[in-house]
Amino acid sequence: MPAAMDLLVLPLLVAALLVFFSVLAGLFSARAGFSFLLVFLLAGILAGEDGPGGVVFDDVNLSFWVGNVALAVILLDGGLRTDFATFRTGLRPAMLLATVGVVMSAGLTGLGAWWLLGLDWRLALLLGSIVGSTDAAAVFALLKSSGVRLNERIAATLEIESGMNDPMAVYLTIAFIGVVLAHAGGGAEGASAWGEAIKTLLQQFGLGGVAGLAAGAALAALLKTTFPRFAEQQAGGAVGGGGILALLCMSLGLAVFAGTSWVGGSGFLAVYVMGVTARARARDAVAPALSALDGYAWLSQAGMFLLLGLLLTPRELLPGLPAALGVAAFLMLIARPLTVWLCLLPFRFAPREVVYIAWVGLRGAVPIVLAVFPLMAGVPGARTLFNAAFVVVLTSLVLQGSTIAWAARRLRVNLPDEDDTPAQRLVFGDFALDGATAVADVCAFYDLAEPPHADWPLQRWIGHALQRPPVVGDHVALGAAQLSVRAMDGARVLVVGLRLPVGDDSGP
């Protein structure tokens, strides 16, 4: 065989077998509650320099390139699966978590890193910035594969936050790299430098948002034009399926990501907003592409985590492992919960919902990709930051990623399946009422004390009692009884569940 063919087939053979056995192992690990993503990461480590595979890989530039492309595909897939209607309940809390929350999480984690790792405060804040955001790949994948059914407010908050917090994390990472390098070079960290950083932040969010909206509208218009012809061709037996539409969406998404980044905007934000906008404007036309896009997203995740696993040298983790585990614990148990509690305080989330959102602050590929930035920039101590970020990600995927469904059940934030009758009655009550029924009529029939505004229909009264838009699964007290939201049509409550006090035999 020619040497040129050896150069092609041997790496291809190794890569293909690595992905195959990783997916196979992932299928079995999912039954035990562990993440597919963790399996890919561990497979890369085992194939690497310190593992049985013995592959020496230290190409930081390739890892950076693959990581960014993969994240763009994952964010596009997540955006195209996000219903615009969920923004009704999730946008405001998610935006606060994706901006102020990332800054708070980065600052608190930096404090923990300064204390536990003994880093200079600049490097500590750089590490906090690297691990300060939740990861879209991990959140989208694990919420989908866990099988847990969350209420709309929790699910929307988690998904929108993870899809929109990358720009802030990227901005903070780049800003603190500049601060560290300026200090290392003896330069001043004056007001002008911080002013330039704020300008960059506004530019990132502004250009990213505008580009995403424009590209999403253009993609929706294109799909609306081509989808009827495409459907007609499929009916006539033409080949291709949704894969063609998926390829169309993905190629445009990558072009938008690259173009926005090139002009100084946030490509991550642009591609996510593009997906959300396209789905909102052309839902039926987008639907056939989702199955193939799911495959592209999984392939992107597999390649990214395998490559990042190869980049790690495990023996370098050992000296600082206890301190890095301390940083991970500080982030999961102190920084993230405190940040979530403060950010969600104005939005009247139930305490158990706040705890769940804090626990599902999953870290994944984004921190590792961001940890490559200091390596490429030649930041002193960059390898320490990379290793610490890796430990944080591994700890998050093992502890948080494997307990998503368990935590939802323990905290009672999951909604029951349609065929789970006992759980349905436990969550939604024993009786179903029309949302248009007057509260006074319910109180009279079930011998309950009338509250203020008893002349209102149940759907209006529940929203007033909650002081926020209701979602399926919400509960409010009506005297000694309890009302629950069973079904909705957009923002309107259609069916209300009623649970009477224990031992009450009134009613039909």
Side-chain angles (χ1 to χ4, degrees):
M1 181 179 292
M5 287 301 294
D6 287 341
L7 187 64
L8 168 67
V9 298
L10 292 180
L12 180 60
L13 176 64
V14 172
L17 289 176
L18 196 56
V19 172
F20 174 79
F21 286 112
S22 297
V23 173
L24 192 62
L27 292 173
F28 290 101
S29 71
R31 295 182 181 179
F34 290 103
S35 165
F36 264 99
L37 310 181
L38 180 62
V39 173
F40 292 133
L41 199 60
L42 292 177
I45 294 173
L46 292 174
E49 185 176 352
D50 285 355
V55 176
V56 178
F57 178 81
D58 58 359
D59 194 333
V60 174
N61 291 327
L62 178 61
S63 301
F64 174 79
W65 190 89
V66 171
N68 277 272
V69 171
L71 286 173
V73 174
I74 293 162
L75 284 168
L76 174 64
D77 180 64
L80 287 170
R81 294 175 189 277
T82 302
D83 280 321
F84 193 76
T86 63
F87 279 59
R88 175 179 62 90
T89 55
L91 180 60
R92 289 192 299 162
M95 281 299 296
L96 198 60
L97 285 170
T99 51
V100 176
V102 173
V103 175
M104 291 175 59
S105 182
L108 290 170
T109 306
L111 178 64
W114 170 77
W115 175 45
L116 292 165
L117 292 174
L119 296 173
D120 174 81
W121 68 268
R122 300 166 187 83
L123 280 176
L125 287 175
L126 175 55
L127 177 58
S129 302
I130 288 170
V131 300
S133 68
T134 59
D135 183 75
V139 171
F140 289 148
L142 292 178
L143 284 180
K144 184 165 55 175
S145 63
S146 68
V148 67
R149 182 176 169 228
L150 301 173
N151 75 45
E152 180 186 317
R153 183 171 56 258
I154 297 177
T157 299
L158 287 169
E159 291 179 3
I160 297 171
E161 177 204 5
S162 66
M164 302 188 77
N165 64 8
D166 291 337
M168 180 59 79
V170 172
Y171 158 75
L172 289 175
T173 299
I174 293 174
F176 278 107
I177 286 175
V179 171
V180 172
L181 292 178
H183 175 73
E189 302 154 18
S192 61
W194 290 106
E196 185 64 29
I198 294 173
K199 177 183 175 183
T200 302
L201 173 65
L202 296 175
Q203 177 178 308
Q204 286 263 320
F205 275 86
L207 290 177
V210 170
L213 288 170
L219 177 60
L222 178 63
L223 290 176
K224 283 182 177 179
T225 303
T226 59
F227 178 67
R229 300 175 188 172
F230 175 79
E232 184 180 340
Q233 290 174 354
Q234 294 306 299
V239 296
I244 296 176
L245 293 180
L247 187 60
L248 182 72
C249 295
M250 187 182 70
S251 57
L252 180 60
L254 291 176
V256 168
F257 170 79
T260 306
S261 301
W262 185 43
V263 298
S266 170
F268 294 118
L269 179 62
V271 76
Y272 179 73
V273 172
M274 169 188 158
V276 173
T277 305
R279 179 182 175 91
R281 289 172 170 261
R283 182 189 181 98
D284 292 341
V286 164
L290 293 181
S291 178
L293 272 171
D294 187 53
Y296 293 148
W298 273 110
L299 179 61
S300 298
Q301 291 177 91
M304 175 173 56
F305 276 83
L306 284 170
L307 206 59
L308 294 174
L310 280 171
L311 192 62
L312 179 71
T313 306
R315 65 174 179 270
E316 295 180 357
L317 294 180
L318 297 179
L321 184 59
L325 287 172
V327 173
F330 190 90
L331 171 61
M332 290 190 296
L333 302 178
I334 298 177
R336 170 72 179 178
L338 183 57
T339 295
V340 170
W341 176 66
L342 290 173
C343 287
L344 297 186
L345 204 57
F347 301 105
R348 304 178 66 86
F349 278 77
R352 65 179 184 273
E353 294 175 333
V354 173
V355 172
Y356 188 75
I357 291 172
W359 184 245
V360 189
L362 295 166
R363 268 58 189 176
V366 170
I368 305 176
V369 172
L370 292 182
V372 174
F373 284 33
L375 290 173
M376 296 179 65
V379 171
R383 181 56 69 170
T384 299
L385 303 183
F386 181 84
N387 292 339
F390 222 107
V391 171
V392 169
V393 169
L394 283 174
T395 307
S396 178
L397 289 176
V398 170
L399 294 181
Q400 295 172 303
S402 62
T403 56
I404 284 180
W406 175 84
R409 290 191 296 269
R410 291 287 295 178
L411 293 168
R412 294 182 292 111
V413 298
N414 62 315
L415 299 178
D417 295 328
E418 296 296 332
D419 57 352
D420 192 345
T421 303
Q424 285 273 340
R425 296 182 67 179
L426 180 65
V427 174
F428 295 129
D430 298 301
F431 306 113
L433 308 172
D434 192 313
T437 305
V439 175
D441 293 342
V442 176
C443 292
F445 190 79
Y446 291 101
D447 195 23
L448 300 170
E450 284 194 8
H453 311 298
D455 56 320
W456 289 359
L458 287 170
Q459 57 187 3
R460 181 183 177 190
W461 189 87
I462 288 174
H464 176 76
L466 290 170
Q467 301 260 311
R468 54 169 170 75
V471 295
V472 173
D474 273 335
H475 295 83
V476 294
L478 178 62
Q482 186 181 71
L483 300 177
S484 59
V485 180
R486 277 196 175 194
M488 298 187 65
D489 180 17
R492 187 163 61 95
V493 178
L494 291 181
V495 182
V496 176
L498 173 69
R499 181 186 301 150
L500 296 172
V502 176
D504 192 330
D505 296 326
S506 62

